[in-house]
Amino acid sequence: MCNTDCMARNIRFLLLPALVFLNQALPAWAAPTMGEVLAASKPSDWRPLDPADTLYVELPTGRIIIELKAGFAPLHVANIKTLVRARYFDGLPVLRVQENYVAQWGDPENRHPIPSGVGKIAPEFDSPLPPHMAFTRLPDGDVYAPEVGFSDGVPVARSAKLHLTWLAHCYGMVGVGRDLDVESGSGAEMYVVIGHAPRHLDRNVALVGRVVKGMELLSSLPRGSMEMGFYAKNETPLPINSIRLEADVPPLERTPLEVLRTDTPTFAALIESRRNRPEEFFKVKAERIELCNVPIPVRPRK
Amino acid sequence: MCNTDCMARNIRFLLLPALVFLNQALPAWAAPTMGEVLAASKPSDWRPLDPADTLYVELPTGRIIIELKAGFAPLHVANIKTLVRARYFDGLPVLRVQENYVAQWGDPENRHPIPSGVGKIAPEFDSPLPPHMAFTRLPDGDVYAPEVGFSDGVPVARSAKLHLTWLAHCYGMVGVGRDLDVESGSGAEMYVVIGHAPRHLDRNVALVGRVVKGMELLSSLPRGSMEMGFYAKNETPLPINSIRLEADVPPLERTPLEVLRTDTPTFAALIESRRNRPEEFFKVKAERIELCNVPIPVRPRK
């Protein structure tokens, strides 16, 4: 880990525009850093978030933005949109924050009525492997799944043998809490991974999307002191002011973002730059990368 | 992820004393949960922390306890003890908290003199593989290293080909920041991993120990808004009141802890219970576990 002097150097290095400009002409020993890869990216390497699939979670401390991935869990995402449009979540607390695990919100005291149309749904914990699936495969394997990589901007695992694909529980992924019954996850309780990837949850719960902005508002919440991170009576859970679909927010109040496409040569170059770490600091290059260590860059829409 | 109803069930389940009592007699389909494994542990499965290798980091919000592992980085640990005994860290800030990465303290403004005896030391980023090393090997492989497991209570990687072993950058591991020069990490800047395991740092910095209590005091700190999580002028870093060796703290002010030994059948059973998750909630058992997902239990000394 860089100490303070080293960081000052690195910041200067990252800002060196000549290296970015010369990206294509760099010799092999000077493979581009991630910063250089991004600086050299084209506008078409980025895709805007779709306002119809983007949630704004408004906390007293700021806005969290979630990209929903309806392709992996259409019924759950539909339920969540119904709940959001009924303002079901507004005023509910972030009811538990468990160290190195998850932050979760919901309505354990049943204060808010569940809107009609939201009920039991099929599990959607994994899906049949489609015949044609955009998939940027990682070359270094995975402890939990036969194959891992990225599809449509999210970390994905697959098994050709099982003919299945599923979203992976990486940091920042958003899921739907359920009871022991696999059909009991309506969408009325949602959680976000705030710790080391709990991949044992893969294929056991429905993941519905990824936090693309504002993770630090959840990860820095005080942990609840009770079992599983629930707050004790003398601890005050943070209330959620509201959750809205971006499409329902007036344009001037939106935070337009774009995400690096994961089916581009630029993203492939980013993976390589993270596998090999050209920065001088790294004396031993891992030459490998694990799924949840690959950043998926997000920036203000240009 | 369990929703609230499910958690109520699980808490009841965990507390069911009959299951613990019957542990030895349970049929195969009812393999013990981690809670049951721990409840059935013997006193000899646990080892006390050594006060001479235990740091108390006193923050205004509470005490963080670090177990130093001098066996893996003797020179760095010696430097840290010299710095601690000179009260070098007292009053210094947690100067950066970077989202999903590290919290780090040190003295970038050189306010405190470095005590004599603390200077450049050999890197200690990895060590020769000893001929006899207590090592509980994980069976499911690793993306970054040929072999991983636990040695003396910490996550370890090894390579028989390289004849090397090294500590792994899992959540809660403590390292020493350095400049580009590999000999520049004196111990005067320390960091703690607060996010998904940044294993690319393995073999590039000296890890010196593990946080065994109080991680939530670091992980819930507000992130600095500047590059690399440094705090801006209008943000107030948390000051460290003091860092002390447990041996130098009066007995009545100590927090005596013990750690589950990682060279015991109980720890092997814990690993199995985490690989296979006997809890009813898990419909698809991972049957695998990744190094940084294995908990190393700590409890008040009995």
Side-chain angles (χ1 to χ4, degrees):
Chain A
M1 170 61 40
C2 242
N3 69 7
T4 319
D5 291 343
C6 166
M7 280 167 202
R9 273 185 247 276
N10 268 335
I11 290 171
R12 283 196 297 275
F13 182 66
L14 286 171
L15 296 179
L16 255 184
L19 279 174
V20 174
F21 185 73
L22 292 170
N23 195 14
Q24 297 305 315
L26 287 175
W29 53 263
T33 65
M34 184 172 80
E36 291 158 9
V37 168
L38 294 178
S41 68
K42 295 172 292 188
S44 60
D45 290 332
W46 301 79
R47 62 182 173 81
L49 293 183
D50 181 345
D53 280 310
T54 302
L55 291 183
Y56 287 176
V57 180
E58 307 285 0
L59 299 180
T61 48
R63 174 177 286 177
I64 297 165
I65 302 182
I66 294 171
E67 181 177 30
L68 296 170
K69 303 309 286 188
F72 289 88
L75 301 173
H76 285 80
V77 168
N79 266 11
I80 288 169
K81 289 183 184 178
T82 301
L83 289 158
V84 163
R85 288 198 152 134
R87 311 209 159 190
Y88 173 79
F89 295 106
D90 300 10
L92 292 180
V94 180
L95 61 100
R96 72 177 187 116
V97 182
Q98 184 170 357
E99 172 58 13
N100 191 21
Y101 202 39
V102 296
Q104 187 164 340
W105 55 83
D107 187 20
E109 294 163 18
N110 297 311
R111 290 188 286 158
H112 294 190
I114 300 276
S116 66
V118 173
K120 282 200 167 197
I121 45 177
E124 300 185 318
F125 303 161
D126 45 31
S127 344
L129 198 51
H132 304 290
M133 176 184 181
F135 182 63
T136 302
R137 187 176 180 275
L138 289 181
D140 305 313
D142 182 67
V143 169
Y144 291 94
E147 272 194 316
V148 292
F150 293 85
S151 184
D152 199 20
V154 273
V156 166
R158 329 201 291 184
S159 165
K161 191 174 148 201
L162 300 175
H163 299 286
L164 289 175
T165 185
W166 58 92
L167 293 176
H169 274 85
C170 291
Y171 192 91
M173 291 296 285
V174 183
V176 164
R178 66 162 170 89
D179 201 346
L180 296 181
D181 172 2
V182 293
E183 296 190 350
S184 58
S186 67
E189 284 197 42
M190 298 171 70
Y191 65 90
V192 178
V193 174
I194 62 162
H196 186 77
R199 296 281 306 282
H200 55 280
L201 293 171
D202 289 4
R203 300 186 62 209
N204 282 291
V205 267
L207 287 169
V208 294
R210 185 174 86 94
V211 173
V212 292
K213 185 175 166 56
M215 265 308 292
E216 71 283 2
L217 302 178
L218 290 173
S219 60
S220 67
L221 286 176
R223 278 47 176 164
S225 65
M226 310 277 282
E227 184 127 27
M228 297 175 177
F230 282 96
Y231 289 106
K233 290 245 183 293
N234 63 339
E235 297 165 337
T236 309
L238 197 70
I240 293 171
N241 290 344
S242 68
I243 303 187
R244 294 283 179 276
L245 269 176
E246 187 181 39
D248 296 337
V249 170
L252 284 177
E253 296 170 25
R254 296 185 189 176
T255 307
L257 299 177
E258 56 189 20
V259 181
L260 189 68
R261 296 179 62 104
T262 52
D263 57 352
T264 56
T266 296
F267 188 67
L270 179 152
I271 291 171
E272 280 312 299
S273 84
R274 298 302 264 194
R275 294 178 73 236
N276 294 300
R277 297 281 179 161
E279 297 90 344
E280 187 187 348
F281 180 80
F282 291 93
K283 307 303 179 183
V284 176
K285 318 291 187 185
E287 296 178 344
R288 309 182 72 75
I289 196 160
E290 184 261 333
L291 179 67
C292 300
N293 264 327
V294 178
I296 305 165
V298 176
R299 67 181 188 186
R301 201 176 303 165
K302 292 200 172 172
Chain B
M1 172 59 42
C2 243
N3 70 7
T4 319
D5 290 344
C6 167
M7 278 165 203
R9 272 185 247 276
N10 268 336
I11 290 172
R12 283 196 298 275
F13 182 67
L14 286 171
L15 295 179
L16 256 184
L19 279 173
V20 173
F21 185 73
L22 293 170
N23 195 14
Q24 298 305 314
L26 287 174
W29 53 263
T33 64
M34 184 171 79
E36 290 158 9
V37 168
L38 294 178
S41 68
K42 295 173 292 188
S44 60
D45 290 333
W46 300 79
R47 62 182 173 83
L49 292 183
D50 181 346
D53 280 310
T54 302
L55 291 183
Y56 287 177
V57 180
E58 306 286 359
L59 299 179
T61 48
R63 174 176 286 177
I64 297 165
I65 302 181
I66 294 171
E67 181 177 29
L68 296 170
K69 301 310 284 188
F72 289 88
L75 301 173
H76 284 79
V77 168
N79 266 12
I80 288 169
K81 288 184 184 179
T82 302
L83 289 158
V84 164
R85 288 199 151 133
R87 311 208 158 190
Y88 173 79
F89 294 106
D90 299 11
L92 293 180
V94 180
L95 60 100
R96 73 176 186 116
V97 183
Q98 185 170 358
E99 172 57 13
N100 191 20
Y101 202 40
V102 297
Q104 187 165 339
W105 56 83
D107 187 20
E109 294 163 18
N110 297 312
R111 289 188 288 158
H112 293 191
I114 300 275
S116 67
V118 173
K120 282 200 169 200
I121 44 177
E124 300 185 319
F125 304 161
D126 45 31
S127 343
L129 198 51
H132 304 289
M133 177 185 182
F135 183 62
T136 302
R137 187 176 179 276
L138 289 181
D140 305 313
D142 182 67
V143 169
Y144 291 93
E147 272 194 316
V148 292
F150 294 85
S151 184
D152 199 19
V154 274
V156 166
R158 328 201 291 184
S159 165
K161 190 174 148 201
L162 300 175
H163 299 285
L164 290 175
T165 185
W166 57 93
L167 293 177
H169 274 84
C170 291
Y171 192 92
M173 291 296 285
V174 183
V176 164
R178 65 163 170 90
D179 201 347
L180 296 181
D181 173 1
V182 293
E183 296 190 351
S184 58
S186 67
E189 284 196 41
M190 297 171 71
Y191 65 90
V192 179
V193 174
I194 62 163
H196 187 77
R199 296 282 307 281
H200 56 279
L201 293 171
D202 288 5
R203 300 185 61 207
N204 281 291
V205 267
L207 288 169
V208 293
R210 185 174 87 93
V211 173
V212 292
K213 185 175 167 54
M215 266 307 293
E216 70 283 3
L217 302 177
L218 290 173
S219 60
S220 66
L221 285 176
R223 278 49 176 162
S225 65
M226 311 277 282
E227 183 126 29
M228 297 175 178
F230 282 96
Y231 289 105
K233 290 244 183 292
N234 63 339
E235 296 166 337
T236 308
L238 197 69
I240 292 171
N241 291 345
S242 68
I243 303 187
R244 293 284 178 275
L245 268 176
E246 186 181 40
D248 297 337
V249 170
L252 284 177
E253 296 170 24
R254 296 184 189 177
T255 308
L257 298 177
E258 54 188 21
V259 181
L260 189 68
R261 295 179 63 104
T262 53
D263 58 353
T264 56
T266 296
F267 188 67
L270 180 152
I271 291 171
E272 280 312 300
S273 85
R274 298 303 265 193
R275 294 178 74 236
N276 294 300
R277 296 281 177 161
E279 297 90 345
E280 188 188 347
F281 180 80
F282 292 93
K283 307 302 179 184
V284 176
K285 318 292 186 184
E287 296 179 342
R288 309 181 72 76
I289 196 160
E290 184 261 331
L291 180 65
C292 300
N293 264 327
V294 178
I296 305 165
V298 176
R299 67 182 188 186
R301 200 176 304 165
K302 292 200 174 175

